């Protein structure tokens, strides 16, 4: 079974305060645990000390952004992939 997105409510837009920490979370489900990849404006998310990704056992992937900056504004995509297919969830920050 291909992964599917299970969000409590569709969070297509999220606001944050410059200089504060913010989080974006998506829950994915699939028979085979999907591999989650985060993208920013369609590009792989840069790995640095401000972006931190955690995954919980229930399939929730959370992107934490420390001290949000104006340049963090854009479209964040979490892509879940397993052997059967893929699903993606997007939110605009």
């Amino acid at each position: 079974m291909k992964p599917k997105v299970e969000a409590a409510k569709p969070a297509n837009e999220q606001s944050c305060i410059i200089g504060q920490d913010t989080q974006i979370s998506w829950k994915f489900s699939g028979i085979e645990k999907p591999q989650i990849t985060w993208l920013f404006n369609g590009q792989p998310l840069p790995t640095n000390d401000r972006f931190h990704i955690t995954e919980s056992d229930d399939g929730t992937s959370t992107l934490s952004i420390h001290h949000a900056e104006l340049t963090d504004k854009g479209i964040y995509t979490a892509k879940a992939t397993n052997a059967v297919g893929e699903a993606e969830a997007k939110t605009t920050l």
Side-chain angles (χ1 to χ4, degrees), residues 7-51:
K9 59 181 193 293
N12 294 331
E13 277 199 28
Q14 192 162 330
S15 58
C16 70
I17 297 167
I18 301 294
Q20 299 224 331
D21 295 352
T22 189
Q23 289 189 329
I24 302 171
S25 280
W26 291 103
K27 183 175 178 182
F28 293 95
S29 65
I31 297 296
E32 184 187 319
K33 192 173 181 214
Q35 173 77 38
I36 314 293
T37 312
W38 282 85
L39 307 170
F40 175 58
N41 290 334
Q43 299 296 316
L45 193 69
T47 45
N48 61 35
D49 54 0
R50 288 196 317 108
F51 294 106

Side-chain angles (χ1 to χ4, degrees), residues 48-65:
N48 61 35
D49 54 0
R50 288 196 317 108
F51 294 106
H52 187 65
I53 296 163
T54 51
E55 287 186 28
S56 58
D57 291 341
D58 70 354
T60 302
S61 183
T62 302
L63 169 65
S64 302
I65 303 170

Side-chain angles (χ1 to χ4, degrees), residues 65-88:
I65 303 170
H66 299 290
H67 303 298
E69 295 176 1
L70 205 54
T71 53
D72 297 334
K73 187 177 168 168
I75 300 166
Y76 289 84
T77 308
K79 191 180 276 189
T81 313
N82 68 10
V84 192
E86 64 177 43
E88 62 177 45

